Amino acid sequence: MQNLVIYNTLHRQKERFLPIAAPNVGMYVCGPTVYGDPHLGHARPAITFDLLFRYLRHIGYKVRYVRNITDVGHLEHDADEGDDKIEKKARLEQLEPMEVAQYYTNRYHDAMRMLNVLPPSIEPHATGHIIEQEELVQEILKNGYAYESNGSIYFDVKKYDKDHRYGVLSGRNLTDMINNSRELAGVSEKKNQADFALWKRAMPEHIMRWPSPWSEGFPGWHCECTAMGRKYLGKHFDIHGGGMDLVFPHHECEIAQVVASQGDEMVKYWMHNNMITINGKKMGKSLGNFITLEEFFTGNHKTLEQAYTPMTIRFFILSAHYRGTVDFSNKALQAAQKGYERLMNGIDDLKRIQTSADSDADTKKFVGGLRQRCYDAMNDDLMSPAVISALFEACHTINLIADHKASIAEDDLRELSEVMRLFAFDILGLMNEKETDNSAREEAYGKVVDMVLDLRAKAKAEKNWAVSDQIRDALADAGFQVKDTKDGVTWKLDR
């Protein structure tokens, strides 16, 4: 096992990853609220925790990865006011709420496949776990940390804070929260504004409702992850992840619910990716400044100068550390596109390198240290930009070898190829989007090109320079790059 270190938001420091029951790892990540098309803000947590999922499995852990679908209970203001986001969409489009949820769940899955995000081990839906959420509420009521008001159940934050501490994850102080909170509609049901809903009584016009001991209604947003995480990963598991915008209130409320229901914390490591911004502002549906993934893939948005492929988007996100902010711009995405293409071209060029009896000293030293260098970067809190930087240096080394300015032995070439493909494809999760097409074309044209180059070599031997240059130029026009070297002629199909 590698000595992986990850940043624990709970303790605000990097900590060595030591699973509760190694080699088994339990990981829960908050998934989407499915009331609209997935956008770039959805892609970042999906790719971040896909990277973690891939790496944990690679270094020998058996991972149960749970990522939920929120299809009920997430109200407009992320608290206890407003309409349910999915139900509001259903009314606008005159559809059943589950029709809306299913449609956008399918759209989310399609986008994740295009981004090469692996599916989780389990993908539970909030509506499929109403019973578990009601049981959670009953436990909290029994322990005295919740109260009923007009058919709704609210978590008594002030009482909880006396016995434990509300704000351990976010660092917020309850007194300040109460003093700074403004009264909103429905506040009369609560003892104080900081209290949050565990169960909401449904209004007559509310479509999505379930029977409960208190009223016909629906669970509060925060209940689902606590209930489903505990159901599939147990009362204590290793990692809970999500976007930084979920630290408060969602994850803070989750911690309070768990401690109030079972007496101790459920999660050992809390991990959060930072936001994607546009001009310094968070990208999101609620702010109306989001760009959907489909719009990126098609270029069909007023702020986009071109279309960007799924792997360009993935590379763009991985080029920054997951805890750093990423500000969207066409310039940044175009740079990511060039970087992605450079890496894919470097990996392609490995197939055309001619080996020597020995590697030169610099090449041998670089190749010998590349694997551990990439592992060190990943072990340092998933430092994907450092991995990409190392792979770019490998591309430079490959270019030197291809230009016969450096030499590499067969065993070193095998190691270089294995490391690059391991970290680029298996761990970073990139795919060569043109590899299939290029492989097919190279196989079809390979014999013909080799035959034409034999004719060119014959012309050169006969000092028929005009015919030799004519063949080279014709191949270039057809998309083939021909290079004369001291060891012979090489060719490749241009992108």
Side-chain angles (χ1 to χ4, degrees):
M1 297 281 186
Q2 296 289 323
N3 291 321
L4 173 63
V5 172
I6 56 178
Y7 185 86
N8 190 347
T9 309
L10 185 64
H11 301 141
R12 295 169 181 77
Q13 65 183 14
K14 291 181 182 179
E15 298 173 357
R16 185 177 175 191
F17 180 63
L18 296 170
I20 296 168
N24 299 299
V25 171
M27 180 168 78
Y28 188 101
V29 175
C30 291
T33 302
V34 283
Y35 69 104
D37 275 335
H39 56 71
L40 197 59
H42 291 117
R44 193 170 196 194
I47 290 170
T48 294
F49 292 100
D50 182 62
L51 176 67
L52 178 59
F53 184 34
R54 288 170 178 271
Y55 191 60
L56 288 172
R57 294 201 309 179
H58 170 70
I59 60 178
Y61 292 112
K62 183 179 180 182
V63 185
R64 177 178 288 175
Y65 176 16
V66 181
R67 187 186 67 206
N68 70 298
I69 295 290
T70 297
D71 53 3
V72 68
H74 194 168
L75 304 186
E76 285 181 287
H77 304 299
D78 291 354
D80 302 324
E81 289 77 31
D83 290 333
D84 182 288
K85 293 184 176 185
I86 293 168
E87 185 162 308
K88 181 180 179 182
K89 187 80 169 184
R91 283 200 299 270
L92 288 172
E93 298 188 7
Q94 296 185 320
L95 297 170
E96 283 288 333
M98 287 301 98
E99 201 170 356
V100 170
Q102 187 64 59
Y103 176 78
Y104 288 113
T105 298
N106 293 344
R107 300 276 286 176
Y108 178 79
H109 288 158
D110 289 344
M112 292 306 104
R113 278 191 291 270
M114 294 179 75
L115 291 169
N116 201 28
V117 170
L118 298 174
S121 313
I122 303 172
E123 189 176 58
H125 292 232
T127 53
H129 297 78
I130 301 297
I131 292 172
E132 289 83 357
Q133 293 176 77
E134 289 186 9
E135 289 172 349
L136 172 67
V137 176
Q138 287 174 325
E139 289 172 8
I140 297 171
L141 276 167
K142 180 182 175 182
N143 292 336
Y145 292 109
Y147 57 90
E148 183 177 354
S149 178
N150 197 24
S152 294
I153 307 296
Y154 292 99
F155 190 92
D156 193 335
V157 173
K158 204 167 184 180
K159 184 172 182 182
Y160 173 84
D161 193 58
K162 287 180 182 178
D163 298 336
H164 306 283
R165 187 199 158 197
Y166 184 74
V168 291
L169 187 67
S170 63
R172 300 193 183 200
N173 178 276
L174 179 59
T175 302
D176 292 340
M177 282 188 273
I178 293 173
N179 292 338
N180 295 332
S181 63
R182 60 188 180 91
E183 291 195 0
L184 298 170
V187 71
S188 59
E189 288 190 350
K190 302 180 183 182
K191 290 182 179 179
N192 69 70
Q193 186 58 28
D195 295 347
F196 58 89
L198 298 172
W199 183 267
K200 288 285 283 184
R201 180 175 64 88
M203 295 295 101
E205 68 275 11
H206 206 93
I207 307 169
M208 293 169 39
R209 58 175 67 217
W210 290 265
S212 80
W214 319 288
S215 64
E216 277 208 348
F218 54 94
W221 173 37
H222 311 305
C223 289
E224 61 175 289
C225 293
T226 301
M228 294 189 293
R230 189 157 65 182
K231 179 178 177 67
Y232 295 110
L233 298 174
K235 289 188 174 182
H236 303 96
F237 60 87
D238 300 296
I239 298 168
H240 195 319
M244 199 169 286
D245 57 334
L246 297 178
V247 171
F248 188 89
H250 189 46
H251 290 165
E252 192 72 74
C253 293
E254 277 199 67
I255 289 176
Q257 289 172 162
V258 169
V259 175
S261 63
Q262 69 181 42
D264 62 353
E265 238 281 54
M266 184 165 65
V267 177
K268 187 173 183 181
Y269 303 95
W270 286 89
M271 296 182 68
H272 295 90
N273 64 273
N274 214 323
M275 299 296 97
I276 290 180
T277 59
I278 297 181
N279 299 321
K281 293 183 179 179
K282 175 195 164 186
M283 177 184 289
K285 289 190 182 76
S286 59
L287 298 174
N289 66 345
F290 66 96
I291 304 173
T292 70
L293 291 171
E294 183 180 54
E295 287 169 338
F296 275 107
F297 301 157
T298 62
N300 186 26
H301 191 278
K302 62 183 179 181
T303 63
L304 298 177
E305 295 176 3
Q306 64 180 77
Y308 299 98
T309 69
M311 286 303 101
T312 297
I313 298 297
R314 187 174 181 110
F315 188 90
F316 170 65
I317 289 171
L318 292 171
S319 294
H321 186 248
Y322 77 92
R323 287 192 291 113
T325 56
V326 175
D327 198 50
F328 158 78
S329 69
N330 281 282
K331 185 177 180 181
L333 276 172
Q334 287 160 9
Q337 178 178 312
K338 290 178 181 177
Y340 164 72
E341 290 174 352
R342 177 187 173 193
L343 180 55
M344 294 301 106
N345 287 339
I347 293 172
D348 278 350
D349 287 343
L350 283 165
K351 295 179 287 189
R352 302 181 181 88
I353 283 180
Q354 296 178 354
T355 57
S356 303
D358 295 300
S359 300
D360 63 84
D362 288 342
T363 301
K364 194 165 195 67
K365 181 179 179 182
F366 174 79
V367 173
L370 181 61
R371 185 185 294 264
Q372 191 57 50
R373 185 176 165 188
C374 290
Y375 275 128
D376 289 344
M378 287 298 299
N379 290 335
D380 184 14
D381 195 29
L382 310 181
M383 195 63 70
S384 58
V387 176
I388 291 172
S389 177
L391 297 180
F392 277 167
E393 288 187 40
C395 291
H396 175 69
T397 297
I398 291 166
N399 288 336
L400 290 177
I401 298 167
D403 291 341
H404 301 285
K405 296 177 182 176
S407 59
I408 190 167
E410 187 174 345
D411 58 342
D412 286 332
L413 177 60
R414 190 181 306 113
E415 169 69 2
L416 179 60
S417 179
E418 185 177 306
V419 172
M420 289 196 73
R421 296 186 73 85
L422 167 65
F423 282 92
F425 298 145
D426 296 349
I427 294 174
L428 294 181
L430 297 167
M431 296 187 298
N432 192 336
E433 291 172 317
K434 296 182 179 178
E435 189 173 58
T436 301
D437 290 343
N438 285 337
S439 296
R441 283 194 289 170
E442 287 181 18
E443 186 176 350
Y445 298 150
K447 293 181 179 179
V448 176
V449 174
D450 288 341
M451 183 180 70
V452 172
L453 288 175
D454 285 342
L455 293 174
R456 180 171 179 263
K458 184 178 180 180
K460 288 179 71 174
E462 295 172 354
K463 298 187 178 181
N464 192 341
W465 309 120
V467 171
S468 171
D469 291 345
Q470 185 180 4
I471 292 172
R472 182 198 61 205
D473 293 343
L475 285 170
D477 290 341
F480 297 92
Q481 186 183 112
V482 177
K483 185 178 288 188
D484 291 305
T485 73
K486 64 181 181 180
D487 296 318
V489 62
T490 63
W491 66 272
K492 71 176 182 178
L493 190 60
D494 281 342
R495 294 281 170 262

